[in-house]
Amino acid sequence: MLDTITARPAPVPTAAPRRPSLIIAAPWPYHPTCGIGGGVLCFQLLERLAARYAIHFVAFDQVPHDAEGGRRALQRLCASVTLVPMPAASGGLSDKWGQLSQVVLRQPREVRGMASPAMARAIAHLAATTDAEAALLQFPQMAQYAGDCGDVPVVVDTQDVAIVSRFREWRSARGGAKRLVRLVAWLAWLRYELHWYAQADGLVALSDNDQGVLRSFFPDTPCLLSPVAAEILPRAPGRGRGGYAAFIGNFDHAPNRDALEWLLAAIWPAVRRELPEMELHIAGPGIPAFAADHAAEGVVVRGFVESLDDFYGDARLALVPYRFGGGTKIKALDAMARGCPVVATPIGAEGLGVTPGVEMEVAIDAAGFAAAAVRVGRSDTLADRLADAAQHHLARHFSWDGKVRMLAAMLEELGTAGRARSGKAVRETVD
């Protein structure tokens, strides 16, 4: 039964030539103003895939900002949009049992929260009725539905390989209890990804580090390195001069929250001592309450911002202070594309192929990070040099044309192989 699913088909011109179908399954109905960098990137990819495929999009009915705007944006591009009710959050003893059993059950907390028979039915229905070339499952949480795609080839767009990011989170933890909790979470993710990624016909990684890890565990599964992509936006002369330091993220995501805690406790006080007029503007959903406690130190809590162009255009520099996480930090890419100089940790710069000191400043520890931010904050010449080099670097290595072309080639190859297998099976049945 699919009565719990809301299907919202978009109008498709009858005169348009027939395009192959593609199923895309995601944790939420992302769109240009959803407030999550990975979601915006996925929407930009969907826009370009829609020129090649009739897309059947399915997601849970959760979105951090402007749900109706998101539906309209997706309906404009997709052959159909199916939204599945988000499962009710578990709590009490059942949730405690889930925390204790997540390793045995191969079901990390984030995965358990998206385990839905309705989603499984929705994906199975699309696989059976759309003649799809492939099913693209985006983000690790959706890999659990690989077995619901029938004969349709499955590609998992990992975005952030938890085998990598959760291992780093565990290694960075301080205190016995916290280290134990994070170790359990990593082991649960390890067992989950090893099980479900093995059922995929193809994997997609954003960074060469993630690709290398996936290839070591799944040597027989095609794994495409599909870096983030960006549209380079012209820099307005004089913008950002004398502005603020910018940090944006979805702070319900553990690496973002940890980065903010580290920034406020260990980095920003040192920056303010050298640049007492500099402000730190924090933007994005889920900003923790403790951020407002630092108002006397020039910290401004912006919350959701409508325009990244304005947020980065008015900023003096962007800060990407990550101590763990995987994939590529989209906020670094967004700032670089808009001509805002970046200071990052090595993990914050991962996947971007930058040379430290050329396209961005990269620092390992808090003291080095603060010193780099002060250098950029003081020098117009350095800020302009980093911003120009970053935009040239993105233009050379992170184009949308290349990303879409490589992904479409993978989908076409897997679709052809899948049709060949289906044809062989039919012939053997007839014989």
Side-chain angles (χ1 to χ4, degrees):
M1 295 290 292
L2 299 176
D3 54 349
T4 60
I5 296 166
T6 303
R8 300 174 180 271
V12 178
T14 56
R18 185 182 182 279
R19 295 167 295 164
S21 295
L22 176 65
I23 298 168
I24 295 182
W28 68 91
Y30 48 65
H31 58 95
T33 59
C34 67
I36 298 175
V40 175
L41 180 74
C42 287
F43 184 84
Q44 292 170 342
L45 175 62
L46 186 149
E47 283 185 300
R48 290 159 174 84
L49 290 174
R52 297 170 177 256
Y53 299 94
I55 293 176
H56 299 275
F57 183 87
V58 56
F60 290 107
D61 62 351
Q62 57 162 352
V63 67
H65 183 75
D66 192 8
E68 287 304 318
R71 292 189 183 97
R72 290 193 298 271
L74 288 164
Q75 289 169 349
R76 176 173 55 84
L77 296 170
C78 299
S80 70
V81 177
T82 302
L83 299 183
V84 177
M86 187 69 181
S90 59
L93 292 176
S94 62
D95 189 60
K96 292 177 183 177
W97 166 245
Q99 295 288 357
L100 293 171
S101 64
Q102 58 180 314
V103 177
V104 175
L105 299 178
R106 293 192 302 261
Q107 201 172 54
R109 175 178 56 83
E110 298 89 343
V111 169
R112 186 171 70 252
M114 293 188 184
S116 164
M119 177 60 76
R121 292 195 300 270
I123 292 174
H125 176 74
L126 289 173
T129 59
T130 61
D131 192 27
E133 180 136 302
L136 186 64
L137 308 181
Q138 293 182 313
F139 297 89
Q141 300 94 312
M142 302 306 290
Q144 63 185 303
Y145 298 106
D148 299 303
C149 296
D151 295 330
V152 176
V154 174
V155 175
V156 177
D157 183 3
T158 61
Q159 296 289 322
D160 178 357
V161 178
I163 292 174
V164 176
S165 61
R166 292 310 175 105
F167 178 78
R168 289 171 169 170
E169 184 177 6
W170 166 53
R171 291 293 299 273
S172 71
R174 298 292 180 267
K178 183 175 286 189
R179 283 182 64 83
L180 178 59
V181 168
R182 291 183 175 180
L183 174 61
V184 170
W186 174 65
L187 290 173
W189 273 107
L190 176 67
R191 296 200 69 224
Y192 169 83
E193 290 189 317
L194 290 180
H195 176 76
W196 289 110
Y197 291 0
Q199 299 191 32
D201 299 283
L203 301 169
V204 177
L206 286 184
S207 72
D208 51 3
N209 184 71
D210 282 2
Q211 183 193 40
V213 171
L214 291 174
R215 281 181 167 172
S216 69
F217 282 110
F218 310 102
D220 298 325
T221 302
C223 184
L224 174 67
L225 176 59
S226 181
V228 291
E231 291 183 0
I232 309 302
L233 301 178
R235 297 173 61 210
R239 289 196 76 176
R241 297 289 174 87
Y244 48 82
F247 181 45
I248 189 170
N250 170 20
F251 294 97
D252 293 323
H253 187 44
N256 292 332
R257 190 181 184 97
D258 176 81
L260 179 61
E261 291 177 353
W262 188 49
L263 173 62
L264 293 177
I267 297 171
W268 187 246
V271 175
R272 282 279 288 189
R273 282 195 295 272
E274 298 295 324
L275 300 174
E277 302 303 317
M278 179 74 75
E279 292 182 337
L280 170 63
H281 287 213
I282 304 168
I287 298 174
F290 64 74
D293 297 337
H294 295 264
E297 301 165 21
V299 174
V300 178
V301 176
R302 297 272 294 269
F304 182 83
V305 292
E306 292 288 344
S307 171
L308 286 180
D309 295 352
D310 291 339
F311 184 64
Y312 284 124
D314 293 335
R316 175 67 176 189
L317 70 160
L319 306 180
V320 190
Y322 285 84
R323 296 191 286 185
F324 61 86
T328 300
K329 302 299 174 283
I330 308 302
K331 54 188 59 60
L333 179 90
D334 286 337
M336 294 166 68
R338 290 165 173 81
C340 181
V342 174
V343 179
T345 58
I347 290 175
E350 191 170 81
L352 293 170
V354 297
T355 300
V358 177
E359 292 90 12
M360 69 170 61
E361 292 284 343
V362 180
I364 297 173
D365 57 20
F369 198 103
V374 169
R375 287 196 301 272
V376 178
R378 279 179 171 161
S379 173
D380 291 343
T381 301
L382 175 59
D384 289 342
R385 178 172 61 77
L386 291 171
D388 289 339
Q391 289 197 319
H392 287 306
H393 179 74
L394 294 186
R396 289 195 304 270
H397 302 292
F398 293 89
S399 74
W400 274 110
D401 287 346
K403 182 180 178 73
V404 173
R405 186 173 60 252
M406 290 188 296
L407 179 58
M410 174 188 239
L411 297 173
E412 182 178 355
E413 182 176 349
L414 292 175
T416 300
R419 287 190 294 272
R421 287 195 302 270
S422 298
K424 180 180 180 181
V426 170
R427 290 193 298 272
E428 289 176 350
T429 301
V430 172
D431 293 343

